[in-house]
Amino acid sequence: MIDRINLLKAEIDSLRAISREEVEQLRLKYLSKKGLVSALFDDFKSVPAELKREVGALLNELKHASHEKFESLKSDFDTKETSDPAGQDLTRPAVNALPGARHPLSIVRNQIIDIFARIGFTVAEGPEIEDDWHNFSALNFTPDHPARDMQDTFFIASNPDILLRTHTSSVQIRTMESTKPPIRMIFPGRVFRNEAISARAHCIFHQVEGLYIDKHVSFTDLKQTLMYFAKEMFGENTEIRLRPSYFPFTEPSGEMDVSCLICGGVGCNICKHTGWVEILGCGMVDPNALENCGIDSTVYTGFAFGMGIERITMLKYQIKDLRLFFENDVRFLQQFTGAF
Ligand code: DAH
């Protein structure tokens, strides 16, 4: 009997209700004449005489606590429902409204757009659902290129020509098809890859692509532009390093590292003790890509680059886990209030 009383007490103590009606239903379940508390009082008759004193006291305590609990559940709704202005204390200080904040990825995307806008780059966007031509073929990817593999790319089962773009380089093609050079543009946007989600990878992420096509554009222009970007983004003392690399749509291609912001190049966990952190891929637009879009590669040259916004944001704000960007936990997001 004592155990049953204690159990019921704990049960009632933990009750929650989402409406006034639910409070009433619960009250009937526990406190009405046929309720669970009353049932214990009925059983009290059969308690042996020597225990009656102890059990009786416990039962009274249970009854008392239950009444209090239901009063407090009810009063929750009394305060929540004071929509009647006559019943409100109008001199009470207002509830603080939480200030909204931009998402850190939006903050950094806007910074990137601003930095390039200052040297004459305009912004365009392309579709997230692409076809093979714009995402791969026109960018000089061979038919058997591993990036097309099911492991990397989300294809649409009913039509293998349709896919979720794996990079914003597709917008280079759309722009070159529709715009006569000179072209000086950046393309921010969301991209998709068939990746398992972890602290360093996600199936959705964001890139900003850059494209500059004109007569006499050279690798020097590319390097100067990227150096300007790195210093504006990460600070005047930032150094850059270009390493040779391979992308099908640029020739020559490179990857750019910036000197580690955290340790200043001495070596730390973030830069894996190399002093450098990779932030983007780049190169001179391959003549095949120009020709695929109807641009005469004997007249025009150009450079392109592509960077991951998550990567740059993680570096800038020292965020160690990519998943934080997608969980929308206000404790994380609130830290960027006032950042921009
Ligand atoms: N599209 C490449 C990627 O997602 C990045 C990239 C590399 C973009 C070189 C470029 C480029 O425009 O020139 O990995």
Side-chain angles (χ1 to χ4, degrees), residues 167 169 172 193 207 209 247 249-250 281-283 304-306:
H167 52 183
S169 303
Q172 284 187 38
R193 289 188 201 172
Q207 291 186 330
E209 192 85 10
F247 299 100
F249 43 94
T250 42
C282 61
F305 56 85

Side-chain angles (χ1 to χ4, degrees), residues 276-305:
W276 297 97
V277 189
E278 186 209 317
I279 63 158
L280 56 80
C282 61
M284 300 307 291
V285 178
D286 193 292
N288 287 346
L290 293 171
E291 298 291 341
N292 283 339
C293 303
I295 295 178
D296 186 343
S297 63
T298 61
V299 179
Y300 291 102
T301 52
F303 66 70
F305 56 85

Side-chain angles (χ1 to χ4, degrees), residues 102-115 123 125 186 188-189 206-208 233 309 313:
R102 269 197 212 291
H103 193 282
L105 295 177
S106 301
I107 295 172
V108 170
R109 185 201 50 209
N110 290 347
Q111 286 174 352
I112 297 171
I113 291 174
D114 279 355
I115 291 171
V123 179
E125 286 182 7
I186 56 170
H206 299 79
Q207 291 186 330
V208 177
M233 191 70 197
I309 305 183
T313 311

Side-chain angles (χ1 to χ4, degrees), residues 115-116 118-119 224-233:
I115 291 171
F116 283 104
R118 294 203 282 277
I119 52 169
Q224 184 63 42
T225 305
L226 294 179
M227 191 157 79
Y228 156 79
F229 167 72
K231 287 182 183 290
E232 290 291 306
M233 191 70 197

Side-chain angles (χ1 to χ4, degrees), residues 165-227:
R165 68 177 177 195
T166 58
H167 52 183
T168 43
S169 303
S170 53
V171 196
Q172 284 187 38
I173 299 300
R174 289 192 173 270
T175 305
M176 291 194 291
E177 282 174 340
S178 63
T179 315
K180 275 206 166 88
I183 298 168
R184 201 188 296 167
M185 292 175 108
I186 56 170
F187 317 117
R190 201 156 32 163
V191 302
F192 308 84
R193 289 188 201 172
N194 190 4
E195 299 258 10
I197 296 170
S198 72
R200 298 176 63 86
H202 204 286
C203 54
I204 301 176
F205 55 101
H206 299 79
Q207 291 186 330
V208 177
E209 192 85 10
L211 180 67
Y212 181 27
I213 311 279
D214 204 345
K215 292 174 181 155
H216 315 299
V217 178
S218 72
F219 202 93
T220 326
D221 300 312
L222 170 61
K223 194 169 173 189
Q224 184 63 42
T225 305
L226 294 179
M227 191 157 79

Side-chain angles (χ1 to χ4, degrees), residues 17-84:
I18 54 162
S19 66
R20 198 181 275 284
E21 291 69 39
E22 199 185 350
V23 178
E24 183 54 17
Q25 276 168 13
L26 289 171
R27 196 189 64 79
L28 290 175
K29 179 175 170 193
Y30 291 96
L31 290 184
S32 66
K33 278 209 175 102
K34 291 192 177 140
L36 295 172
V37 175
S38 313
L40 280 180
F41 273 91
D42 290 342
D43 293 350
F44 181 66
K45 293 179 196 109
S46 52
V47 170
E50 65 276 16
L51 286 177
K52 273 207 154 55
R53 219 185 133 90
E54 189 189 353
V55 175
L58 283 174
L59 266 180
N60 277 331
E61 217 178 278
L62 169 69
K63 191 172 162 189
H64 186 68
S66 312
H67 278 287
E68 274 196 346
K69 173 75 186 183
F70 280 99
E71 279 313 308
S72 104
L73 282 178
K74 256 198 262 169
S75 73
D76 270 0
F77 292 100
D78 289 344
T79 42
K80 278 181 197 148
E81 284 174 14
T82 40
S83 52
D84 168 18

